[in-house]
Amino acid sequence: MKTIAVMVGNNQSEYINALLKDMDRISKERGIRILFFTGNRLPVECDDVGDGRDVSLREHQFSSIFDYITYGGCDACIICYGSMSGIPGVMPLDEILDKCSSIPVMTFEVKSNRDDVPYLIADNYKSMSSVVRHLAIEHGYKNVAYLSGPRDNYSAMMRLK
């Protein structure tokens, strides 16, 4: 039986929960074992930013779960980095890719700077263009407001563009 690791950050969102449930269902149908490696930001009430304490412990707690990828005997890994980016303490994607260098890796909803890492990502530029065209042509709107995501998030930048 093949084992696939799935690394995910914000597993509290409705979108990510649905994604994980679908991955679990499909993996069972195909006889694949999935190990979910989830890391999440500590709750706000535990946040130590600005009170003079060293934040390295919090950052270690967030990212240490991803060290276990090497111990899990995984055959491949899917990195859902879009759900992790923008969360303080998350390890940079290149560091996670380095940790997984011994197995095939694919990124989900983010493109790596490495040409040898396959990725699956929505066409956010084309999708947002279609939405704006629909609002302008079908509904006659001339002024459309857009609230963007994080400026360092590739998907958010493509939607804004």
Side-chain angles (χ1 to χ4, degrees), residues 29-73:
E29 290 172 1
R30 300 196 176 165
I32 298 169
R33 183 174 79 144
I34 289 192
L35 299 177
F36 292 106
F37 292 86
T38 61
N40 208 342
R41 180 172 160 75
L42 289 174
V44 173
E45 57 271 10
C46 298
D47 198 349
D48 55 6
V49 172
D51 69 359
R53 288 189 277 171
D54 184 8
V55 297
S56 62
L57 177 60
R58 182 189 64 214
E59 292 174 357
H60 171 73
Q61 289 170 333
F62 180 90
S63 294
S64 65
I65 189 67
F66 304 123
D67 290 331
Y68 291 98
I69 193 73
T70 56
Y71 309 124

Coordinates of all heavy atoms in Angstrom, one line a residue, residues 29-73:
E29 N -10.8 4.8 -1.5 CA -11.4 4.1 -2.7 C -10.2 3.5 -3.5 O -10.4 2.5 -4.2 CB -12.1 5.1 -3.6 CG -13.4 5.6 -3.0 CD -14.0 6.7 -3.8 OE1 -13.4 7.1 -4.9 OE2 -15.1 7.2 -3.4
R30 N -9.1 4.1 -3.5 CA -7.9 3.6 -4.3 C -6.9 2.8 -3.6 O -5.8 2.5 -4.1 CB -7.3 4.8 -5.0 CG -8.3 5.5 -5.9 CD -7.8 6.4 -6.8 NE -8.9 6.9 -7.6 CZ -8.8 8.0 -8.4 NH1 -7.7 8.6 -8.5 NH2 -9.8 8.4 -9.1
G31 N -7.2 2.5 -2.3 CA -6.2 1.7 -1.5 C -4.9 2.4 -1.2 O -3.9 1.8 -1.2
I32 N -5.0 3.7 -1.0 CA -3.8 4.5 -0.6 C -4.0 5.0 0.8 O -5.1 5.5 1.2 CB -3.7 5.8 -1.6 CG1 -3.5 5.3 -3.0 CG2 -2.6 6.7 -1.2 CD1 -3.6 6.4 -4.1
R33 N -2.9 5.0 1.5 CA -2.9 5.5 2.9 C -2.5 6.9 2.9 O -1.5 7.3 2.3 CB -2.0 4.6 3.8 CG -2.0 5.1 5.3 CD -1.2 4.1 6.1 NE 0.2 4.4 5.9 CZ 1.1 4.3 6.9 NH1 0.8 3.8 8.1 NH2 2.4 4.6 6.7
I34 N -3.2 7.8 3.6 CA -2.8 9.2 3.6 C -2.5 9.5 5.1 O -3.2 9.2 6.0 CB -3.9 10.1 3.1 CG1 -4.1 10.0 1.6 CG2 -3.6 11.6 3.5 CD1 -4.9 11.1 1.0
L35 N -1.4 10.2 5.3 CA -1.0 10.8 6.6 C -1.2 12.3 6.4 O -0.5 12.9 5.6 CB 0.4 10.4 6.9 CG 0.7 8.9 7.1 CD1 2.2 8.8 7.4 CD2 -0.1 8.3 8.1
F36 N -2.0 12.9 7.2 CA -2.2 14.3 7.2 C -1.3 15.0 8.3 O -1.3 14.6 9.5 CB -3.7 14.7 7.5 CG -4.6 14.3 6.5 CD1 -5.5 13.3 6.6 CD2 -4.6 15.0 5.2 CE1 -6.4 12.9 5.6 CE2 -5.5 14.6 4.2 CZ -6.4 13.6 4.4
F37 N -0.4 15.8 7.8 CA 0.5 16.6 8.7 C 0.0 18.0 8.8 O 0.1 18.8 7.8 CB 1.9 16.6 8.2 CG 2.6 15.2 8.2 CD1 2.4 14.3 7.2 CD2 3.3 14.8 9.3 CE1 3.0 13.0 7.2 CE2 3.9 13.6 9.3 CZ 3.7 12.7 8.3
T38 N -0.6 18.3 9.9 CA -1.3 19.7 10.0 C -0.5 20.5 11.0 O -0.1 20.1 12.1 CB -2.7 19.6 10.4 OG1 -2.8 18.9 11.7 CG2 -3.5 18.8 9.4
G39 N -0.3 21.7 10.6 CA 0.3 22.7 11.5 C -0.6 23.9 11.5 O -1.2 24.2 10.4
N40 N -0.8 24.6 12.6 CA -1.6 25.7 12.6 C -1.1 26.8 13.5 O -0.3 26.5 14.4 CB -3.0 25.3 13.1 CG -4.1 26.2 12.5 OD1 -3.9 27.3 12.0 ND2 -5.3 25.7 12.5
R41 N -1.5 28.0 13.3 CA -1.1 29.1 14.2 C -1.7 28.9 15.6 O -2.8 28.4 15.7 CB -1.6 30.4 13.6 CG -1.2 31.6 14.4 CD -1.6 32.9 13.6 NE -1.7 34.0 14.4 CZ -0.7 34.7 14.9 NH1 0.5 34.3 14.7 NH2 -0.9 35.8 15.7
L42 N -0.9 29.2 16.6 CA -1.5 29.2 17.9 C -2.6 30.1 18.1 O -2.7 31.2 17.4 CB -0.4 29.5 19.0 CG 0.7 28.5 19.2 CD1 1.8 29.1 20.1 CD2 0.2 27.2 19.7
P43 N -3.6 29.8 18.9 CA -4.7 30.8 19.1 C -4.2 32.2 19.5 O -3.2 32.3 20.1 CB -5.5 30.2 20.2 CG -5.1 28.7 20.2 CD -3.7 28.7 19.7
V44 N -5.0 33.2 19.2 CA -4.6 34.6 19.5 C -4.2 34.8 20.9 O -3.3 35.4 21.3 CB -5.7 35.5 19.0 CG1 -5.4 37.0 19.5 CG2 -5.9 35.5 17.5
E45 N -5.0 34.1 21.8 CA -4.7 34.3 23.2 C -3.4 33.7 23.7 O -2.9 34.1 24.8 CB -5.9 33.7 24.1 CG -6.1 32.3 23.9 CD -7.2 32.0 22.8 OE1 -7.5 32.9 22.0 OE2 -7.6 30.9 22.6
C46 N -2.8 32.9 22.8 CA -1.4 32.4 23.1 C -0.3 33.1 22.4 O 0.8 32.8 22.5 CB -1.4 30.9 22.7 SG -2.5 29.8 23.6
D47 N -0.7 34.1 21.6 CA 0.3 34.8 20.8 C 1.2 35.7 21.7 O 0.8 36.4 22.6 CB -0.5 35.8 19.9 CG 0.4 36.2 18.7 OD1 1.6 36.0 18.8 OD2 -0.2 36.8 17.8
D48 N 2.5 35.5 21.5 CA 3.5 36.2 22.3 C 4.2 37.3 21.6 O 5.2 37.8 22.1 CB 4.5 35.2 22.9 CG 5.2 34.4 21.9 OD1 5.0 34.6 20.7 OD2 5.9 33.5 22.3
V49 N 3.7 37.7 20.4 CA 4.3 38.7 19.7 C 4.2 40.1 20.4 O 3.1 40.4 20.9 CB 3.7 38.9 18.3 CG1 4.2 40.1 17.6 CG2 4.0 37.6 17.5
G50 N 5.2 40.8 20.6 CA 5.2 42.1 21.1 C 5.3 42.2 22.7 O 5.3 43.2 23.2
D51 N 5.3 41.0 23.3 CA 5.4 41.1 24.8 C 6.8 40.8 25.3 O 7.1 40.6 26.4 CB 4.4 40.1 25.4 CG 4.7 38.7 25.2 OD1 5.7 38.4 24.6 OD2 4.0 37.8 25.8
G52 N 7.8 40.8 24.3 CA 9.2 40.7 24.7 C 9.7 39.3 24.8 O 10.9 39.0 24.9
R53 N 8.8 38.3 24.7 CA 9.3 36.9 24.7 C 9.8 36.4 23.4 O 9.4 37.0 22.3 CB 8.1 35.9 25.2 CG 7.8 36.1 26.7 CD 6.9 35.1 27.1 NE 5.5 35.5 26.8 CZ 4.5 34.7 26.9 NH1 4.6 33.5 27.3 NH2 3.3 35.1 26.5
D54 N 10.7 35.5 23.4 CA 11.2 34.9 22.1 C 10.1 34.1 21.4 O 9.5 33.3 22.0 CB 12.4 34.0 22.5 CG 13.1 33.5 21.3 OD1 12.8 33.9 20.2 OD2 14.0 32.6 21.5
V55 N 9.9 34.5 20.1 CA 8.9 33.8 19.3 C 9.4 32.5 18.7 O 8.6 31.8 18.1 CB 8.3 34.7 18.3 CG1 7.6 35.9 18.9 CG2 9.3 35.1 17.3
S56 N 10.7 32.2 18.9 CA 11.2 31.0 18.2 C 10.6 29.7 18.7 O 10.4 28.8 17.9 CB 12.7 30.9 18.4 OG 13.1 30.8 19.7
L57 N 10.1 29.6 19.9 CA 9.4 28.4 20.4 C 8.1 28.3 19.7 O 7.8 27.2 19.2 CB 9.2 28.5 21.9 CG 8.4 27.3 22.5 CD1 9.2 26.0 22.3 CD2 8.2 27.5 24.0
R58 N 7.4 29.3 19.5 CA 6.1 29.2 18.8 C 6.4 28.8 17.3 O 5.7 28.0 16.8 CB 5.4 30.6 18.8 CG 4.0 30.4 18.1 CD 3.3 31.8 17.9 NE 4.1 32.6 17.0 CZ 4.2 33.9 17.1 NH1 3.6 34.5 18.0 NH2 5.0 34.6 16.2
E59 N 7.4 29.4 16.7 CA 7.7 29.1 15.3 C 8.1 27.6 15.2 O 7.7 26.9 14.3 CB 8.8 30.0 14.8 CG 8.3 31.4 14.6 CD 9.4 32.4 14.2 OE1 10.6 31.9 14.1 OE2 9.1 33.5 14.0
H60 N 8.9 27.1 16.2 CA 9.2 25.7 16.2 C 8.0 24.8 16.3 O 7.9 23.8 15.7 CB 10.2 25.4 17.3 CG 10.5 24.0 17.5 ND1 11.3 23.2 16.6 CD2 10.1 23.1 18.4 CE1 11.3 22.0 17.0 NE2 10.6 21.9 18.1
Q61 N 7.1 25.2 17.2 CA 5.9 24.4 17.4 C 5.1 24.3 16.2 O 4.5 23.3 15.9 CB 5.1 25.0 18.6 CG 5.7 24.8 19.9 CD 5.0 25.6 21.0 OE1 4.3 26.6 20.8 NE2 5.0 25.1 22.2
F62 N 5.0 25.4 15.4 CA 4.2 25.4 14.2 C 4.8 24.5 13.2 O 4.2 23.7 12.6 CB 4.1 26.8 13.6 CG 3.3 26.8 12.3 CD1 2.0 27.0 12.4 CD2 3.9 26.6 11.1 CE1 1.2 27.0 11.2 CE2 3.2 26.5 9.9 CZ 1.9 26.7 10.0
S63 N 6.1 24.6 13.0 CA 6.8 23.9 11.9 C 7.3 22.5 12.2 O 7.6 21.7 11.3 CB 8.0 24.7 11.4 OG 7.5 25.9 10.8
S64 N 7.4 22.1 13.5 CA 8.0 20.8 13.8 C 7.2 19.6 13.3 O 7.8 18.6 13.0 CB 8.2 20.7 15.3 OG 6.9 20.7 16.0
I65 N 5.9 19.8 13.1 CA 5.1 18.7 12.6 C 5.6 18.2 11.2 O 5.6 17.1 10.9 CB 3.6 19.0 12.6 CG1 2.8 17.8 12.2 CG2 3.3 20.1 11.5 CD1 2.8 16.7 13.3
F66 N 6.2 19.2 10.5 CA 6.6 18.8 9.1 C 7.9 18.1 9.1 O 8.3 17.5 8.1 CB 6.7 20.1 8.3 CG 5.4 20.8 8.2 CD1 5.3 22.1 8.6 CD2 4.2 20.2 7.8 CE1 4.1 22.8 8.6 CE2 3.0 20.8 7.8 CZ 2.9 22.1 8.2
D67 N 8.7 18.0 10.3 CA 9.9 17.2 10.4 C 9.5 15.7 10.3 O 10.3 14.9 9.9 CB 10.6 17.5 11.7 CG 11.2 18.9 11.7 OD1 11.6 19.4 10.6 OD2 11.4 19.4 12.8
Y68 N 8.3 15.4 10.7 CA 7.9 14.0 10.8 C 7.7 13.3 9.4 O 7.6 12.1 9.3 CB 6.6 13.8 11.6 CG 6.9 14.1 13.1 CD1 6.6 15.3 13.6 CD2 7.5 13.2 13.9 CE1 6.9 15.6 14.9 CE2 7.8 13.4 15.2 CZ 7.5 14.7 15.7 OH 7.8 14.9 17.0
I69 N 7.7 14.1 8.4 CA 7.6 13.6 7.0 C 8.7 12.5 6.7 O 8.4 11.5 6.1 CB 7.6 14.7 5.9 CG1 7.2 14.1 4.6 CG2 8.9 15.3 5.8 CD1 5.7 13.9 4.5
T70 N 9.9 12.7 7.3 CA 11.0 11.8 7.1 C 10.8 10.5 7.9 O 11.4 9.5 7.5 CB 12.3 12.5 7.4 OG1 12.3 12.9 8.8 CG2 12.6 13.7 6.5
Y71 N 10.0 10.6 8.9 CA 9.8 9.4 9.8 C 8.6 8.6 9.4 O 8.5 7.5 9.9 CB 9.7 9.8 11.2 CG 10.8 10.7 11.7 CD1 10.5 11.9 12.3 CD2 12.1 10.4 11.6 CE1 11.5 12.8 12.7 CE2 13.1 11.2 12.0 CZ 12.8 12.4 12.6 OH 13.7 13.3 13.0
G72 N 7.8 9.1 8.5 CA 6.5 8.4 8.2 C 6.6 7.3 7.2 O 5.6 6.7 6.9
G73 N 7.7 7.1 6.5 CA 7.8 6.1 5.5 C 6.9 6.4 4.3 O 6.3 5.6 3.7

